[in-house]
Amino acid sequence: MSTTHHTVSNKRKLSAAAAATPTVLLENVLAKKCNSQLSQSLPVPASLNLDKLLAWASEKGADVANLVFRGDDKDPFCSARSAYALHSIPPNSSIASIPACLILSETTARESRIGALLAAHIATPEVAAELTQGGRDPYAPGLILLAGYMAYERFVNLASFWKPYFDALPEEYSLPLWWDDASELLEGTNLGHTVAERRKLLVKGLEVIRDACGPLFPSHKLTWKTLRWAYSAISSRAFPRTRPSLPNERNLAAEEPAEISSGASELCLYPVLDMLNHRRGHRIEWQIREGVDVTFVALDGVEKGEEIYNNYGAKGNENLLGNYGFVLDPNPEDYVKIALNIRDASDRFAPAKRAVLARTTPNRLVHLLFEGNNETELPGDLMFVVRLLVMNGCEIDPKADF
């Protein structure tokens, strides 16, 4: 069965009815949001900005001789832009590589004048606590640091080292963060909550950047729109890596296969390499040589003229739409997220229920029901927690075995 990418724009109005699963809801939204499906015909030649990007990368030591980009130069979202093989690439061979000097990371930002000012301000206990929401969002400070640096380098520093890269990035993004009607379309969904939280983070981030280094920005260069652009560039193409152990160390560290989950990791971008489209299940390897380069390897090989893909990992459509601006149909990794909770303030039996949960394995309050599993019965551990939550004082015994 083929898998279709659905891309989105924010050009058309719609109302999203409630749906049984996130997949149905997102497909209803995208059916009216979508300008068009990605064309199956060969796109028009690459723009001048892409040619300049490849020339810049080659000049700095990247090996991009296998790549050619084609797309629609009039599309501000770059939704039809794809990478193709100029030559046949044998199995287990390099697609392309970039040297360590072309890795744009939080560490890169800290080593700049504006980044140093911003990092020092973010490190103060009060600001750090606000950005992380008391530790619940540990990567928010690094994200605001990198977004602030990128906004400065793109919109203020006309001689930026990164100019060829930024010029080749989309001018706009199809992420829900850019939708004027996102709150209406996504009302009552997990993604709607996520978008609202991201807006709050950017509003706070804008305030933090202005407090730390506002005088370095002309007034019209540090705005919601410029920071949103930088945030979206990071969200849609960043890779996590282990944070260097020394403050001024820019050596490349080991790649992390999972999402960033603690302050021990930092975000980084790989110019050129981060422009490959996603294909579910595609076999590709990211090879890291510390302080030297990053290489993408085609495990199955690529024929001349074929599109070259990356694999963003097993992600549900909520994740794909929120961070990358598209969904897959079908998507076996799509899921319904069920988050249960014990309400201590209103449930006088909450302590007893928590005591039972503490002695039970598994005892998760958050459950994911995957579309690809074709489940006809709810999981037993989910039903156990549901039964526990609705128990009254006569039914619950904190010492009983379950």
Side-chain angles (χ1 to χ4, degrees), residues 96-111:
S97 67
I98 62 170
C101 68
L102 291 186
I103 298 172
L104 174 54
S105 68
E106 295 173 36
T107 302
T108 310
R110 285 190 193 88
E111 294 179 345

Side-chain angles (χ1 to χ4, degrees), residues 75-216:
D75 175 15
F77 303 102
C78 301
S79 59
R81 183 166 67 191
S82 304
Y84 295 86
L86 273 178
H87 317 283
S88 293
I89 304 173
N92 300 308
S93 298
S94 170
I95 296 169
S97 67
I98 62 170
C101 68
L102 291 186
I103 298 172
L104 174 54
S105 68
E106 295 173 36
T107 302
T108 310
R110 285 190 193 88
E111 294 179 345
S112 69
R113 178 190 176 195
I114 190 168
L117 291 171
L118 185 52
H121 185 58
I122 289 176
T124 60
E126 181 180 352
V127 174
E130 286 188 276
L131 287 178
T132 63
Q133 300 181 62
R136 293 192 302 273
D137 190 359
Y139 64 90
L143 197 155
I144 294 301
L145 169 66
L146 186 55
Y149 172 73
M150 289 176 60
Y152 178 84
E153 290 294 299
R154 184 193 177 192
F155 298 105
V156 179
N157 185 9
L158 300 181
S160 172
F161 172 82
W162 305 103
K163 179 174 171 53
Y165 175 49
F166 293 153
D167 286 348
L169 294 181
E171 299 172 10
E172 303 175 33
Y173 285 85
S174 54
L175 308 178
L177 189 63
W178 291 64
W179 300 357
D180 294 334
D181 46 5
S183 59
E184 174 188 347
L185 299 179
L186 302 175
E187 183 179 3
T189 67
N190 294 322
L191 183 56
H193 173 74
T194 299
V195 173
E197 289 301 306
R198 288 179 179 177
R199 289 183 182 275
K200 292 178 184 177
L201 174 61
L202 289 186
V203 169
K204 181 60 184 178
L206 196 59
E207 175 187 326
V208 168
I209 296 169
R210 284 173 175 159
D211 288 344
C213 44
L216 298 181

Side-chain angles (χ1 to χ4, degrees), residues 246-298:
L246 298 176
N248 296 321
E249 182 181 5
R250 290 188 61 180
N251 291 345
L252 183 64
E255 188 72 36
E256 292 186 350
E259 301 289 341
I260 291 180
S261 60
S262 73
S265 296
E266 70 171 1
L267 297 164
C268 58
L269 293 89
Y270 300 156
V272 180
L273 298 180
D274 60 13
M275 294 187 176
L276 303 184
N277 291 327
H278 170 64
R279 173 179 262 179
R280 178 182 170 270
H282 185 65
R283 284 167 33 88
I284 186 171
E285 184 173 278
W286 308 339
Q287 293 184 353
I288 316 297
R289 290 196 299 168
E290 185 174 350
V292 180
D293 58 21
V294 179
T295 301
F296 280 13
V297 174

Side-chain angles (χ1 to χ4, degrees), residues 229-249:
W229 174 88
Y231 177 96
S232 301
I234 298 167
S235 167
S236 62
R237 61 189 62 246
F239 296 77
R241 73 173 188 183
T242 302
R243 190 182 307 281
S245 57
L246 298 176
N248 296 321
E249 182 181 5

Side-chain angles (χ1 to χ4, degrees), residues 38 41 57 82 130 191 204 316-317 356 369 390:
L38 291 180
S41 60
S82 304
E130 286 188 276
L191 183 56
K204 181 60 184 178
N317 281 338
V356 172
L369 303 183
V390 298

